[in-house]
Amino acid sequence: MDRIEDKPTHGKNASLRVEKGKIYFSRDAERKFYFALSLILFLAGLFYKLGILQ
């Protein structure tokens, strides 16, 4: 069974990198993740206020 830290990254600007059992994200991948998370939380709050989610 392959260990996760032995898997190579694809390209120099890979968005996900694993070193010594720790997972590292590129700056761009982190920004996209938190932007999407912010949109999801905004929409959840909006739907809650409109009474769609209760």
Side-chain angles (χ1 to χ4, degrees), residues 14-33:
S15 60
L16 176 69
R17 187 182 72 205
V18 179
E19 285 184 16
K20 297 182 182 179
K22 294 184 181 178
I23 299 173
Y24 296 95
F25 292 95
S26 70
R27 198 176 294 191
D28 190 43
E30 187 177 357
R31 286 180 183 158
K32 288 179 183 178
F33 171 76

Side-chain angles (χ1 to χ4, degrees), residues 5-7 9 15-19 23 25 32 34-35 37 39-40 42 48 51 53-54:
E5 60 257 15
D6 295 333
K7 292 185 180 180
T9 57
S15 60
L16 176 69
R17 187 182 72 205
V18 179
E19 285 184 16
I23 299 173
F25 292 95
K32 288 179 183 178
Y34 283 113
F35 178 73
L37 185 63
L39 284 179
I40 290 168
F42 170 73
Y48 181 78
L53 294 176
Q54 294 179 1

Side-chain angles (χ1 to χ4, degrees), residues 36-50 53:
L37 185 63
S38 298
L39 284 179
I40 290 168
L41 290 174
F42 170 73
L43 291 174
L46 183 66
F47 290 154
Y48 181 78
K49 275 291 201 186
L50 293 174
L53 294 176

